[in-house]
Amino acid sequence: MGTFLVFLAGMLFMAAIFFIKPRAKQKEIWKTVLNWVLFVVWYAITWMGISFIYINASVGHVKATSTAIFLFLGISVVLGFILARLLGFIKVKKVSDSATSQL
Amino acid sequence: MDNKEQKQTYKINRRGFLKVGAAATAMGVMGALKASTKVANAANETLNYVPGEKGQWSKLHPNPDYSGAAVRYVEHNDEWLGTTRIVGKIKNVSEADMGFNLAARGLLGEEAQKEVLRFVSKYPLSAALSKVLSAIAPDSAVEGKPAEKKLPIPDPEQMSKHIKDVAYFLRADEVGIGKMPPYAYYSHRATVGRDLMASLPVESWTVPVEERLPYVIVVMVDQHLETTLASTGYDGISSAQSFRGYHATGNIATILAQYIRNLGYNARAHHARNYAAVMPPVIIAAGLGELSRTGDSTIHPRLGFRHKVAAVTTDLPLVPDKPIDFGLQDFCRVCRKCAENCPAGAISFDDDYVEYNGYLRWNSDFRKCAVFRTTNKEGSSCGRCMKVCPWNSKEDSWFHLAGTWIGSRGEMSSQLLKSIDDMFGYGTETIEKYKWWLEWPELY
């Protein structure tokens, strides 16, 4: 199972790189770098969490498993949301425009 | 003309003389080196032994297993034993004054005196282990005369590797070789069972220990990970865990000592049913641990407290290992998890050491520990400190390797490791799925 998870992590890493490549490149270099760094950090934390939870759950460390679910996956969701926002997967409607048009 | 030529032939200038001298010296050194290798190889050829690589721990375990801990080596000297500071003359202590013997002599109360005779035997599995271990208790099993003719052996470095491999072959989990500290020997050792200690004067059942051999081989066996994970640390299986280690190491040490005597050298085994030496100082001397907050127990960087040892003192030519420093003194200073969880309240919460018999250690009370272990009504003996200590190895994983590395890097990182250990509930949990043993509360 461990070997399969390592294989899966590698495949998904490559797939994700190809998937976000067109959106990661920005006009400013620092924004491009920020996107890639955030992606690598998010990916590493997510898989560290999955590995940590998997091993602790299989041994039977109940508190470690439940704590890790909140800790690692919580960080993963927050970072994932920020990354999705920066890459443009999530767009925010401009409320002020619609408000102006009603006047 | 001939005479002139002859004179030129014998003439040599200063530079030439120095060149010839340097070349002759180099050839001499190389020859000497080759000759010593040939001598060693000659012994190896008759033994059909291929020497291990230089710096290798042993052939079966090329590197010692310290888990992820950052380990530094400490030189042997008179002011320190590993990381334990020696501040005065360390007196050899009598076996009559160790905790369980004080209980047997009635010096720790009536209940402890009564229960010390049955605290191991009241649990059927530890009783079985203890009884079988008693078979190698007599002096005739642990000591004896060496063979009259010495057999050829490799040089001390190769012989040290070989002795470690013998221990691994005999199923030791860890093994180390130390310079035997003279103060590690008991001044006197007990010669009777605990049932007779109270009724006879101490002088009548103790004999002086006169042996002084230069080296000590220490073998260590794990007390079992899954059992520790499932136990409270002071339930029925506790003493059986101890005797699993005592039985295994006792047999290994007894066989090893006999093997060395068969080679023609002096050797004496020390195990739980026949000691002539105290184990913590020899563990430190052999590079298998540091003295912990408990005051008289050592912690190994991989196994923590979860081990038992036996030893062999010998004059077999060996190269001793160096004591180790993996940051335990800083760790124990900030952790205190054993003190917080000790059911006997025997372990100190102090920041600093106290002077005790010529060395510095934390001021823990082995008498309280002995009383609780003998009179425990919830099980047989106790190993709660062993159970909760963050240094006890857990399952193999990258995060536990990282944890031991963090724990060996000073006080701040030790505090971090302790906090992480608490946050994830390690040490204080009991994992029911591994609870394989039976409990008989009516026997406790």
Side-chain angles (χ1 to χ4, degrees):
Chain A
M1 185 65 179
T3 311
F4 173 70
L5 285 177
V6 171
F7 173 73
L8 190 65
M11 293 299 289
L12 287 175
F13 190 61
M14 292 304 295
I17 286 171
F18 289 125
F19 183 61
I20 68 166
K21 200 173 175 184
R23 289 170 177 267
K25 194 168 173 63
Q26 303 286 323
K27 283 178 187 170
E28 292 94 338
I29 292 175
W30 71 268
K31 282 188 178 175
T32 309
V33 171
L34 178 69
N35 281 338
W36 283 116
V37 168
L38 206 59
F39 166 70
V40 170
V41 170
W42 169 76
Y43 197 82
I45 285 183
T46 303
W47 278 96
M48 274 169 64
I50 291 168
S51 166
F52 191 94
I53 292 161
Y54 170 71
I55 293 171
N56 277 291
S58 59
V59 173
H61 296 298
V62 176
K63 191 179 174 189
T65 306
S66 55
T67 308
I69 288 170
F70 283 101
L71 182 71
F72 283 103
L73 295 190
I75 295 170
S76 174
V77 167
V78 170
L79 283 180
F81 185 82
I82 295 168
L83 190 62
R85 178 76 186 86
L86 290 176
L87 293 173
F89 287 113
I90 301 170
K91 289 174 182 168
V92 180
K93 283 182 182 176
K94 289 184 178 175
V95 179
S96 57
D97 287 353
S98 58
T100 309
S101 65
Q102 282 176 354
L103 288 173
Chain B
M1 182 72 180
D2 285 349
N3 284 344
K4 199 177 179 183
E5 275 181 0
Q6 209 169 354
K7 273 182 187 172
Q8 278 178 343
T9 310
Y10 291 121
K11 200 173 179 182
I12 186 164
N13 60 25
R14 188 187 298 170
R15 183 175 290 173
F17 175 77
L18 290 172
K19 276 182 183 172
V20 172
T25 309
M27 285 172 72
V29 170
M30 285 171 69
L33 286 173
K34 273 198 167 179
S36 68
T37 315
K38 272 185 183 172
V39 170
N41 286 343
N44 292 332
E45 276 166 19
T46 60
L47 296 164
N48 196 17
Y49 180 76
V50 180
E53 287 174 24
K54 194 162 177 63
Q56 197 180 43
W57 181 254
S58 86
K59 285 189 154 186
L60 295 177
H61 288 235
N63 295 300
D65 188 355
Y66 298 132
S67 186
V71 173
R72 298 159 289 277
Y73 292 96
V74 182
E75 295 297 330
H76 292 279
N77 64 68
D78 295 335
E79 292 175 12
W80 295 84
L81 178 65
T83 54
T84 300
R85 182 85 193 270
I86 298 169
V87 292
K89 183 174 167 51
I90 301 177
K91 289 179 191 161
N92 297 71
V93 294
S94 170
E95 194 179 13
D97 295 330
M98 62 85 76
F100 295 135
N101 291 344
L102 290 180
R105 291 162 61 192
L107 300 173
L108 302 182
E110 276 181 31
E111 195 183 359
Q113 185 178 19
K114 191 181 90 183
E115 294 294 319
V116 75
L117 303 178
R118 61 177 291 272
F119 81 105
V120 171
S121 60
K122 69 184 177 184
Y123 188 75
L125 183 55
S126 45
L129 283 160
S130 174
K131 188 170 182 182
V132 174
L133 181 60
S134 296
I136 52 168
D139 289 350
S140 57
V142 298
E143 61 190 8
K145 283 189 177 174
E148 283 181 14
K149 191 182 172 193
K150 282 186 166 60
L151 289 175
I153 55 169
D155 63 73
E157 189 188 338
Q158 295 299 330
M159 196 60 192
S160 301
K161 290 186 196 356
H162 168 68
I163 286 293
K164 287 174 187 169
D165 283 329
V166 173
Y168 289 128
F169 171 72
L170 295 172
R171 288 170 285 191
D173 288 315
E174 298 290 344
V175 56
I177 298 169
K179 278 176 76 173
M180 179 66 185
Y183 48 79
Y185 280 108
Y186 276 129
S187 65
H188 295 74
R189 64 187 185 89
T191 57
V192 295
R194 291 196 178 118
D195 52 333
L196 297 173
M197 287 182 179
S199 57
L200 298 168
V202 173
E203 302 76 41
S204 70
W205 52 265
T206 54
V207 292
V209 175
E210 283 161 3
E211 178 197 285
R212 292 293 181 269
L213 292 171
Y215 302 115
V216 60
I217 304 156
V218 182
V219 293
M220 185 176 270
V221 167
D222 190 346
Q223 290 192 45
H224 204 242
L225 169 64
E226 286 82 359
T227 306
T228 306
L229 290 174
S231 163
T232 60
Y234 49 89
D235 45 22
I237 200 65
S238 181
S239 61
Q241 280 192 268
S242 293
F243 273 83
R244 175 190 199 260
Y246 285 140
H247 175 266
T249 55
N251 278 284
I252 295 167
T254 307
I255 294 166
L256 194 54
Q258 184 60 55
Y259 174 58
I260 293 170
R261 289 196 297 274
N262 292 348
L263 298 179
Y265 297 87
N266 288 296
R268 186 206 200 273
H270 306 258
H271 63 73
R273 284 287 173 261
N274 193 328
Y275 286 122
V278 190
M279 291 297 105
V282 302
I283 293 171
I284 299 169
L288 291 178
E290 287 187 56
L291 200 59
S292 70
R293 175 170 282 278
T294 59
D296 51 11
S297 295
T298 61
I299 286 179
H300 180 269
R302 179 171 71 85
L303 295 172
F305 285 124
R306 204 186 62 229
H307 62 73
K308 289 293 180 196
V309 301
V312 176
T313 43
T314 183
D315 58 4
L316 179 73
L318 297 168
V319 177
D321 302 310
K322 290 178 181 172
I324 55 172
D325 172 5
F326 56 99
L328 187 70
Q329 304 310 303
D330 286 338
F331 188 87
C332 281
R333 188 168 289 112
V334 299
C335 174
R336 298 185 177 90
K337 202 164 174 172
C338 55
E340 289 160 7
N341 284 278
C342 176
I347 303 173
S348 163
F349 283 87
D350 295 350
D351 283 336
D352 296 318
Y353 308 111
V354 292
E355 186 180 339
Y356 178 86
N357 190 25
Y359 61 96
L360 300 183
R361 57 165 239 186
W362 273 285
N363 191 23
S364 293
D365 190 341
F366 72 94
R367 291 173 184 81
K368 282 185 185 172
C369 176
V371 170
F372 182 83
R373 287 161 83 187
T374 49
T375 61
N376 177 15
K377 295 284 184 277
E378 294 175 59
S380 171
S381 194
C382 177
R384 182 70 177 166
C385 50
M386 174 184 96
K387 161 87 182 170
V388 302
C389 177
W391 278 100
N392 294 342
S393 66
K394 299 166 178 89
E395 65 285 351
D396 288 341
S397 66
W398 59 267
F399 45 89
H400 292 313
L401 282 176
T404 48
W405 185 82
I406 291 169
S408 60
R409 308 299 296 183
E411 281 192 22
M412 272 182 68
S413 53
S414 298
Q415 186 63 58
L416 176 68
L417 176 61
K418 201 258 182 176
S419 304
I420 291 171
D421 209 68
D422 286 343
M423 183 172 78
F424 289 121
Y426 295 129
T428 48
E429 66 194 340
T430 50
I431 303 177
E432 291 292 325
K433 70 173 178 175
Y434 298 122
K435 191 177 178 302
W436 55 268
W437 65 94
L438 309 173
E439 294 277 357
W440 294 275
E442 67 275 19
L443 299 177
Y444 309 150

